[in-house]
Each structure stands twice: as structure tokens, then as C-alpha cells.
Amino acid sequence: NTTATTSHQKQSAHRQSSINNNNNDNDDPFAKKYDNCIVGAGLSGSVIAEQYATNLGQTSLIIEKRHHIGGNCYDYVDADTNILVNLFGAHLFHTRHER
């Protein structure tokens, strides 16, 4: 995925820039200690991080390759039409019930 690669390259460059500029460790999220490491900021990753924080008072480092959180449920307002659009299309939630 070109977008993910570009985003990853930007993040790597930013991290390297922070190291080269001798920034305070508080500015570098990788210099801190966390209670949990969560891979993916989609629905599951975001909810589990919130639950760790709310119910257990724990911190989490969330690693995401995309430029947004929310996984495939990410939406944005189209600049031309001012309409809320889902980037990955409509979502259908299936159940056992026919209606």
C-alpha cells in the first residue's frame, strides 16, 4: 500500500528527526514506558485502549500504519460537497436475524 508506506516513511523520518534534534524524551512516544502495546487503532484496538485506561488506569501505546484511527469505519467531510463520506464504503453489520 503506497499510502501506508508513505505514512510509515514520514513517521520514521519524524522519529529520526526527533532523535537528531535531541528533543526531550517526553516528546518521543517511543522513549516512554507503557502498560500495554496495542497494534491497530481500528474499532477493537481503540476500544481496548480506552477500556485499559478507564477500568484499569493503564497507559497504552497504539501503533497504527494508517494516517487515521477507526480502521475501516473512518469517515471524512468531502471538501467539494460538504457531505460526510466513508473512505472505505458503506458498512453492513450482519446478524442471525433476517430482517
Side-chain angles (χ1 to χ4, degrees), residues 17-87:
S17 172
S18 294
I19 292 168
N20 292 341
N21 291 331
N22 295 322
N23 286 353
N24 185 335
D25 284 345
N26 292 332
D27 295 338
D28 183 5
F30 297 101
K32 298 178 183 179
K33 293 191 179 203
Y34 299 90
D35 298 310
N36 306 290
C37 179
I38 299 171
V39 178
L43 289 178
S44 297
S46 298
V47 169
I48 197 75
E50 184 277 330
Q51 290 293 300
Y52 276 134
T54 301
N55 296 327
L56 302 175
Q58 295 182 353
T59 59
S60 296
L61 172 65
I62 304 173
I63 300 172
E64 174 58 57
K65 72 177 182 177
R66 293 179 176 172
H67 71 285
H68 63 270
I69 63 171
N72 289 345
C73 290
Y74 176 76
D75 55 15
Y76 65 98
V77 176
D78 181 73
D80 295 331
T81 63
N82 205 32
I83 295 174
L84 188 64
V85 179
N86 191 288
L87 182 62

Side-chain angles (χ1 to χ4, degrees), residues 2-12 64-67:
T2 304
T3 303
T5 301
T6 303
S7 177
H8 176 71
Q9 289 170 340
K10 287 178 185 176
Q11 290 171 356
S12 295
E64 174 58 57
K65 72 177 182 177
R66 293 179 176 172
H67 71 285

